[in-house]
Amino acid sequence: MTSPVRVTIKDVAARAGVSKGAVSLAFNQKPGVSDATRKRIFAAAQELGWAPNQTARSLSGRRADIIGLVLCRPARLLGLEPFYMDFISGIESVLAERSCSLLLRLVHDVDEEIELYRTWWRSQTIAGAVLVDFRVDDPRVPALESIGLPAVAVGHPSLTGSFPAVWTDDATATAEAVRYLAALGHRRLARVGGPAGFGHSAIRTRAFDATVRELGLEQGAQIATGFDEREGARATRSLLLAKDRPTAIVYDNDIMAVAGAGVAAEMGFVVPDDVSLLAWDDSQLCRITHPTLSAMSHDVHHFGAEVARTLFALTEGNHSGALQVPTPSLTPRGSTAPAPQ
């Protein structure tokens, strides 16, 4: 992909017919330029899509040693979800080696996310970005490709357009989870998944259905959620109240699995004697519950570090393509057992 030329303060000055210093004075609300000149400078900046860098790095000509990460999710959920805490710590471990920083923002929707990245890039606030939570036909791909934002995508390459992808093989891991539970004699499985629009949720959904069919199991229910504990609890309650309730449930994260274990106990079911539970994204939560939770485990800290290294390789012109990190693997613990007879 050929990156568009980045608009600079010099371009704005040329368009407005003034010096770079005059542009700086105008945007910093300093005396030294007339009202008419100030208006001309603002109009030129708007025409070119330029915004001033609040850290003044655009004036010094230095590259901003800041990486941007925007998450479209509630702040409360971010504080509870171990995955992103480990993921961000992995990114930070690499940034610290280079004396760089992470600029993290939470937004309400994708449009706000796109506009924020545009503002950061045009104002030279960030050197590059980490894009997460890819959707099917994600609108961020064409929007951010068009401005030439250097970014690494956390997601399957089929979802990420021309952005270099760092990803795990969710389909293979999902199939392994289903095969493990089938080997324990479970014939009726269910899955409590993430948002239906997320690309990795769709990949896991297809893999779950395909493996269930391949093994000749009963077609299991799959419920899409928002990844939080309340929706995980609600989905578990619905599954356990069903006439054809499952004997094993797979959860797309550990928070929902812990909530599901609580609901099972509340309803009088014994885990794993009556129902087996299997979490995704093994964390400390899985090891402090009773019984401990079986999980599809992977090194999330390492995942975040690889994403950061890939981004630096991209900005330095050394990146060669997508990177697949190790596939999550099964860690059996106390929450899974042979199917009840």
Side-chain angles (χ1 to χ4, degrees), residues 83-114:
F83 174 87
Y84 271 114
M85 295 298 97
D86 285 347
F87 181 73
I88 290 171
S89 74
I91 293 176
E92 287 280 12
S93 69
V94 175
L95 297 185
E97 295 171 357
R98 293 170 171 256
S99 298
C100 296
S101 302
L102 179 69
L103 180 56
L104 172 66
R105 284 280 295 275
L106 304 182
V107 296
H108 296 95
D109 55 45
V110 173
D111 290 338
E112 185 182 355
E113 179 179 350
I114 290 172

Side-chain angles (χ1 to χ4, degrees), residues 106 147 185 194 262-263 275:
L106 304 182
I147 65 171
V263 167
V275 60

Side-chain angles (χ1 to χ4, degrees), residues 66-69 117 120 126-131 149-153 307 311 314:
I66 298 175
I67 301 304
L69 172 61
Y117 276 128
W120 282 352
I126 60 174
V130 175
L131 306 178
L149 174 69
V152 169
V307 167
L311 181 55
L314 174 66

Side-chain angles (χ1 to χ4, degrees), residues 123-140:
S123 64
Q124 301 186 44
T125 300
I126 60 174
V130 175
L131 306 178
V132 299
D133 291 338
F134 272 81
R135 297 152 182 83
V136 178
D137 298 322
D138 199 303
R140 295 174 300 174

Side-chain angles (χ1 to χ4, degrees), residues 171-209:
T172 296
T174 300
E176 181 183 358
V178 173
R179 292 180 187 282
Y180 166 68
L181 293 170
L184 292 177
H186 295 276
R187 306 290 300 171
R188 191 183 308 119
L189 313 182
R191 173 174 162 265
V192 177
F198 280 4
H200 69 272
S201 293
I203 289 170
R204 294 180 191 182
T205 297
R206 291 194 297 269
F208 185 92
D209 279 341

Side-chain angles (χ1 to χ4, degrees), residues 12 15-18 34-45 47:
V12 176
R15 175 67 66 91
V18 299
S34 67
D35 288 342
T37 300
R38 193 183 306 274
K39 288 179 181 178
R40 192 164 75 249
I41 291 170
F42 288 164
E47 290 170 9

